Amino acid sequence: MPRPKRIRKIINPPSVKGFKPFGPNLPENNAEPVFLLYEEYEAIRLCDYEMLNHQEASAIMEISRPTLTRIYARARQKLAEAFVKGRQIVFEGGKVYFDSDWYICNQCSCLFNNPEKTEVIDRCPLCGSEDFSNYTEVAANPYGNSRCCEVCICPRCGFEREHQIGIPCNKLICPECNVPLKKKE
């Protein structure tokens, strides 16, 4: 049984959903698009746009350097195929989570994030309250506001880890026995 894929961290999703070729001489076989996974987009963005080396980019995505190199090579191969064959490029999918600020509403306990770092969050999207806190500050002192802290636990050895918002417990692996964690009941 292969090891489970480690979830990749993406700073923000692409600002567009893809690209379409244009021109009078489009080939007939351009109907099927090339799908570029979000992790492949992020590897291209970090290495080619941000001009980071593979070690720096892998640290940002929280994956190993060889894994980043494989993702980057796959992405470049797909881009080359789209350019040469005149095919549409579509961004979608992949085993990723987006790095953005998380907030908790002090009125309705809604957890929400801010994927658009340029926009200022001024109210809860659920109840409209302006009384909310940065979730990382609340998580640092989970019992200070009488909210219970969620914990992920290894069903085999009992290893416990604080639950991370946006990452399901079963996507985290126990460092001691390499099995997926579960939510503590």
Side-chain angles (χ1 to χ4, degrees):
M1 182 167 151
R3 276 190 352 190
K5 256 189 188 179
R6 186 167 188 177
I7 197 164
R8 282 93 159 133
K9 182 168 103 174
I10 307 299
I11 302 301
N12 272 324
S15 57
V16 296
K17 297 204 182 281
F19 294 94
K20 287 186 178 181
F22 70 95
N25 299 328
L26 288 178
E28 294 297 321
N29 65 348
N30 70 347
E32 187 176 326
V34 172
F35 294 98
L36 198 67
L37 300 176
Y38 287 140
E39 62 211 47
E40 295 166 342
Y41 161 82
E42 186 74 351
I44 292 287
R45 188 186 72 78
L46 292 172
C47 295
D48 293 338
Y49 181 74
E50 298 289 339
M51 300 300 292
L52 300 176
N53 65 39
H54 286 201
Q55 187 64 39
E56 295 165 332
S58 66
I60 290 171
M61 289 180 68
E62 297 180 353
I63 55 177
S64 70
R65 192 218 30 89
T67 298
L68 177 97
T69 301
R70 285 190 299 274
I71 292 169
Y72 180 69
R74 244 188 353 258
R76 290 185 58 158
Q77 180 65 39
K78 288 179 179 182
L79 290 175
E81 178 183 353
F83 291 158
V84 170
K85 293 184 177 179
R87 293 171 60 186
Q88 178 181 350
I89 299 170
V90 176
F91 300 126
E92 72 172 24
K95 192 163 182 140
V96 300
Y97 71 98
F98 296 106
D99 177 36
S100 60
D101 297 327
W102 283 86
Y103 301 93
I104 186 164
C105 178
N106 296 323
Q107 297 296 316
C108 68
S109 299
C110 171
L111 285 173
F112 57 98
N113 70 342
N114 182 17
E116 297 296 326
K117 295 187 187 291
T118 57
E119 293 181 18
V120 176
I121 298 292
D122 59 354
R123 64 187 70 242
C124 171
L126 187 61
C127 72
S129 169
E130 295 179 0
D131 182 22
F132 61 90
S133 306
N134 188 309
Y135 183 75
T136 54
E137 295 167 5
V138 173
N141 185 13
Y143 302 106
N145 60 0
S146 74
R147 288 186 179 89
C148 180
C149 177
E150 292 186 353
V151 175
C152 302
I153 188 168
C154 175
R156 188 176 293 167
C157 71
F159 169 82
E160 292 186 3
R161 177 179 180 173
E162 183 180 322
H163 179 74
Q164 293 176 301
I165 295 298
I167 303 175
C169 291
N170 65 358
K171 302 298 180 203
L172 300 173
I173 304 298
C174 175
E176 297 178 26
C177 53
N178 286 337
V179 298
L181 301 180
K182 291 187 175 185
K183 183 177 178 180
K184 187 175 182 178
E185 300 295 336

